[in-house]
Amino acid sequence: MELTLTGSVAFLPTPATAAAARALTPGATPLAALTAGHDVIRQPLGEILPRLSATLAELVPHLAAAELSTHCAHSPFKTAGDADFAARISAADLEPLFVAGVPGQPWQGTAQIAGAERSVVAVMTDATPRGALLVLVRGDDAAPVDESALAVTQALWSLVAAHFDRFASEATPGALARSRAAADTRARVMAELGETHSAALTGLLGVLRSRNLDDAAARATATELAVTALIELRAEADRDKAVAEERADEAFARLADALRPLLRHSPVRLELGPPDSVRRVAADVAHAARAIVRAVLLTVLEQEAMTRVHVGWQVTEQELRATVRDDGPGALSMCALGPARISDRLDVLGGRLDVDAVPGWGTTVTAAIPLTTPDATAPAAGTDPLTSLGARELEVLTRLARGHRNRLIAQELHISESTVKFHVAKILTKLGVGSRGEAAALFHAAA
């Protein structure tokens, strides 16, 4: 098979990527371009950026592709291309381009990437709430990209980013679980690295400030370097938080913008109660809260004899509480919300859903989502292992210990069978056992 050279990097194309790349060459039909876009977005999430890079390779030759986007809480920064070169690119390299980028206006020029000034094409889109940036890092002798190629690159990146945003906004319970677990691991690793680096640099400062060192010039220079490193370390953490978290008030404002069109031509009046808080919350919590409120509101609007609906958020130290209150007939039940899979999403995040219906007065639906990762800390040695389980997990374990199968447990708890499987896997892990029988035995021993 022939190698397609892109800059100084050789990509080994599959028939699919080769066809997709040809679809974006000058003179290609609109249908071919749409086919290329479909080929990119139908890939598994982890393969989308590599496929996008390969698809754009002939149109915009480049060494590597990098993205910085806010749809993904646990990995907002990704790279594709030559592994050695891509590994030297950092999120800090992309941050100035992210800040300066204008959605819909591709830019080409030079930027500091991987420790050197390099030719790049930067494409920004507002297809996600806080924007998404794609950077194609090019070779030293790369020719300027023409306007038509930039326009196609912009359109394809906007399509991909919108696809990402849909996954974030309508995440299935399984995807939410993986995202939350990865985000928790990432946060712990960052915290550990930060503590390690801070301790090392603080120790270095202590040595360099010692009166026993005679070389004042060397001491001053080294001290300045260490202080600069500490500042950069903290700045890196701030940059990471900026793309992995959202301010509660800004997250609610984005929800409000999405809800207003739903009632623009409706006789029902929308009242908004934004949170009185600027606390930052994990992006997956904000995404989930917005998706849940939208699903609840759509169900609420199906009722007759309504004149107003109130949507509000309240942020406490422990949780984000989203409330949808109407003045309808007060006949809404938990079962009516079942098709929207709201309980499944909340179960994965360790949240809960309450429905308070008063006939003749209306219904209040409240979704509470913890602001910390559920069960992030393991039980202390020697304690009852069942104390590590959440409320829903205990409900599942109770029925499991009675010999109930997953389908029956799902019916009794009004959740999906896949969510039951997820809880069973978590229970086995937390209890340190390898089978349902062992878990049941622990339950009976503790009873």
Side-chain angles (χ1 to χ4, degrees), residues 250-337:
E250 294 175 351
F252 185 85
R254 279 186 281 277
L255 170 65
D257 290 340
L259 296 185
R260 289 189 183 99
L262 298 179
L263 288 89
R264 183 171 296 157
H265 305 292
S266 169
V268 178
R269 185 173 76 254
L270 175 64
E271 300 175 351
L272 297 171
D276 184 19
S277 173
V278 296
R279 174 174 176 171
R280 304 192 73 87
V281 299
D284 59 339
V285 171
H287 283 314
R290 286 193 291 262
I292 288 167
V293 168
R294 283 195 300 268
V296 170
L297 183 61
L298 289 173
T299 303
V300 165
L301 291 176
E302 294 176 0
Q303 302 177 106
E304 300 292 336
M306 277 179 48
T307 62
R308 64 182 179 84
V309 61
H310 180 276
V311 174
W313 280 10
Q314 181 183 5
V315 178
T316 68
E317 287 297 319
Q318 292 77 31
E319 63 185 13
L320 186 157
R321 191 175 299 120
T323 303
V324 179
R325 184 174 66 251
D326 67 66
D327 64 349
L332 201 64
S333 67
M334 190 76 76
C335 292
L337 300 171

Side-chain angles (χ1 to χ4, degrees), residues 44-395:
L45 285 178
E47 298 299 322
I48 286 181
L49 182 61
R51 181 59 64 92
L52 176 63
S53 175
T55 300
L56 291 171
E58 193 166 339
L59 190 68
V60 184
H62 56 278
L63 307 175
E67 73 167 87
L68 187 61
S69 49
T70 57
H71 67 276
C72 183
H74 66 273
S75 54
F77 169 69
K78 300 182 184 70
T79 59
D82 178 78
D84 292 336
F85 179 74
R88 302 203 308 270
I89 304 174
S90 70
D93 292 339
L94 270 58
E95 187 201 9
L97 297 171
F98 186 93
V99 173
V102 178
Q105 297 184 21
W107 177 85
Q108 56 181 321
T110 60
Q112 191 75 15
I113 303 289
E117 197 74 15
R118 303 181 190 275
S119 175
V120 301
V121 168
V123 185
M124 189 75 176
T125 179
D126 56 4
T128 61
R130 288 178 290 159
L133 172 73
L134 172 69
V135 175
L136 303 177
V137 186
R138 315 190 67 213
D140 295 336
D141 56 349
V145 181
D146 62 45
E147 292 297 323
S148 61
L150 290 176
V152 172
T153 303
Q154 174 72 65
L156 189 55
W157 177 237
S158 294
L159 173 67
V160 169
H163 179 65
F164 284 152
D165 188 56
R166 173 181 168 273
F167 266 98
S169 299
E170 303 176 11
T172 61
L176 278 172
R178 290 191 296 273
S179 174
R180 199 72 193 273
D184 180 50
T185 301
R186 177 169 168 268
R188 287 201 304 270
V189 169
M190 286 195 63
E192 290 167 1
L193 285 174
E195 291 172 1
T196 301
H197 284 240
S198 294
L201 292 172
T202 301
L204 176 62
L205 283 171
V207 171
L208 295 174
R209 287 171 175 164
S210 171
R211 296 177 181 273
N212 297 326
L213 294 177
D214 297 328
D215 192 343
R219 186 163 64 247
T221 302
T223 300
E224 182 180 357
L225 289 174
V227 169
T228 301
L230 276 171
I231 293 174
E232 177 58 29
L233 178 66
R234 290 166 184 160
E236 184 69 25
D238 291 340
R239 281 192 292 267
D240 184 79
K241 288 178 67 176
V243 295
E245 299 178 345
E246 296 185 44
R247 269 181 38 169
D249 55 342
E250 294 175 351
F252 185 85
R254 279 186 281 277
L255 170 65
D257 290 340
L259 296 185
R260 289 189 183 99
L262 298 179
L263 288 89
R264 183 171 296 157
H265 305 292
S266 169
V268 178
R269 185 173 76 254
L270 175 64
E271 300 175 351
L272 297 171
D276 184 19
S277 173
V278 296
R279 174 174 176 171
R280 304 192 73 87
V281 299
D284 59 339
V285 171
H287 283 314
R290 286 193 291 262
I292 288 167
V293 168
R294 283 195 300 268
V296 170
L297 183 61
L298 289 173
T299 303
V300 165
L301 291 176
E302 294 176 0
Q303 302 177 106
E304 300 292 336
M306 277 179 48
T307 62
R308 64 182 179 84
V309 61
H310 180 276
V311 174
W313 280 10
Q314 181 183 5
V315 178
T316 68
E317 287 297 319
Q318 292 77 31
E319 63 185 13
L320 186 157
R321 191 175 299 120
T323 303
V324 179
R325 184 174 66 251
D326 67 66
D327 64 349
L332 201 64
S333 67
M334 190 76 76
C335 292
L337 300 171
R341 302 183 70 187
I342 295 169
S343 293
D344 287 359
R345 285 174 172 165
L346 284 170
D347 282 341
V348 168
L349 294 173
R352 65 183 187 279
L353 184 70
D354 296 316
V355 179
D356 183 15
V358 180
W361 290 90
T363 304
T364 299
V365 180
T366 303
I369 307 175
L371 294 181
T372 55
T373 304
D375 309 305
T377 57
T383 62
D384 182 352
L386 298 187
T387 60
S388 67
L389 303 182
R392 178 65 86 183
E393 289 165 344
L394 283 172
E395 291 178 336

